[in-house]
Amino acid sequence: MDAAAIQQAAAPAAFIQATEVWTPHPGSGRLTRSGGLYGALAAFDETSAGESFGKGEGLPGRAWAEARPVLMHDLTDPAFRRGAAAAASGLGAALAVPVFCGEALKGVLVMFFAAAEQGVGAVEIWSEDGDALRLEAGFYGAATAFREASEQVAFRRGQGLPGGVWGANAPILLHGLGRSPGFLRAAAARAAGLDTGLGLPIPTPSGAAHVLTLLSAPATPVARRFEIWRVASGRSGRAASAALIDGFCDTEGAIFDSDRQVQPWQGAVGQAMATGAPVVEAAPAALPGAPRFAGVVALPQHVHGEVARVVAWFL
């Protein structure tokens, strides 16, 4: 067995079971699949490949129509449309995150979770309610006590991880959640075993604030590596390059490498920067000596009609 195979075999179980991207087809205007990471779920992959969604159809189409993130806890709901295939694959919940540039939909990212409450992690949507963000939806696996704590809290602008993202209108990465004074649910996170948190703004046409948080535990990580890239505009407002400004890896620890640059179309981050749409890529190329990953998700953030940042997480 080679080193890459040994590393893959030793990788912890994933909290997110599958990830896919749906983008508007230029001819039909319907959402068609532009990429997916399904792991061993080959049958669900095959079913999904033949699908397309109009506005309001299925989970991707619903996120498009409602112009906000949507979490479905019951994939047997006929509105999901792939319920039988999801059940056969052991999937029970899914979150769809639309990516807008102004009024224009660039794509919809969908993440799937296991049917049973297994594994520890959290994927949350915090939405603006008056002068605070409150939990609109979340999936926590077996972290039920942390879920209950999250349902009782609200964040003002600049407060905690969701409020910090809201105030900065920028992604924020935290490690050591159980010890961090900036993470207001530290005690609950420590008890649940949650260790790394990524928060990112989800812009929508209405202007209402939505913040996505991904909270990861070492045993069943949401992702094994997180990166935040700042995009610098070139001539005529076109993205010229992106610089890595923050990151964390389960094997390398904190990553600070501002000299590392990505050009448009270079890897998943470069593709997200160039297209403005979310991107998934299987088995991304690794730098010499760096760990290998099964896949990468790159999610762009649009500010004033341009891609300002790209957040990437590696599975």
Side-chain angles (χ1 to χ4, degrees):
M1 183 180 292
D2 62 20
I6 292 172
Q7 186 178 55
Q8 186 66 28
F15 186 70
I16 298 174
Q17 302 294 300
T19 306
E20 57 190 21
V21 171
W22 300 84
T23 51
H25 188 276
S28 67
R30 296 176 64 81
L31 295 175
T32 57
R33 194 181 69 173
S34 59
L37 299 170
Y38 296 92
L41 305 181
F44 190 68
D45 180 3
E46 183 177 353
T47 297
S48 302
E51 284 281 4
S52 69
F53 300 97
K55 195 171 187 178
E57 296 178 355
L59 180 56
R62 180 181 166 190
W64 180 11
E66 296 184 13
R68 63 181 181 86
V70 176
L71 176 68
M72 291 187 71
H73 280 283
D74 180 11
L75 300 188
T76 63
D77 186 329
F80 177 67
R81 285 203 359 196
R82 293 176 282 167
S89 298
L91 301 174
L95 173 67
V97 180
V99 175
F100 284 93
C101 179
E103 299 282 338
L105 179 75
K106 307 298 287 187
V108 179
L109 176 72
V110 182
M111 295 174 277
F112 292 90
F113 312 97
E117 289 190 349
Q118 53 187 279
V120 170
V123 177
E124 306 171 312
I125 294 296
W126 298 86
S127 297
E128 184 177 358
D129 182 11
D131 61 354
L133 293 177
R134 289 180 170 80
L135 184 67
E136 179 171 328
F139 185 85
Y140 298 88
T144 53
F146 185 79
R147 172 180 56 79
E148 292 168 358
S150 301
E151 291 171 344
Q152 303 303 315
V153 69
F155 297 96
R156 295 184 182 275
R157 194 184 297 267
Q159 185 181 38
L161 178 58
V165 171
W166 185 19
N169 192 32
I172 294 176
L173 180 62
L174 291 178
H175 183 60
L177 298 181
R179 308 181 303 274
S180 173
F183 194 76
L184 301 189
R185 295 170 286 166
R190 185 167 57 251
L194 297 169
D195 192 49
T196 303
L198 173 70
L200 56 155
I202 305 298
T204 59
S206 70
H210 300 280
V211 172
L212 169 66
T213 53
L214 306 176
L215 310 179
S216 192
T220 52
V222 169
R224 295 174 52 211
R225 180 185 179 105
F226 296 95
E227 297 177 345
I228 300 175
W229 296 78
R230 180 190 294 125
V231 178
S233 296
R235 294 180 180 178
S236 303
R238 293 186 177 181
S241 64
L244 180 65
I245 59 172
D246 200 1
F248 185 84
C249 180
D250 62 358
T251 58
E252 299 177 78
I255 304 165
F256 299 100
D257 188 2
S258 59
D259 292 332
R260 187 174 165 198
Q261 304 281 319
V262 165
Q263 306 303 315
W265 301 106
Q266 182 182 359
V269 171
Q271 292 176 51
M273 177 172 52
T275 64
V279 173
V280 296
E281 179 184 321
L287 296 173
R292 298 283 297 275
F293 299 99
V296 59
V297 180
L299 190 67
Q301 179 198 358
H302 293 262
V303 178
H304 303 309
E306 297 182 359
V307 176
R309 299 168 193 88
V310 177
V311 174
W313 56 92
F314 294 74
L315 309 174

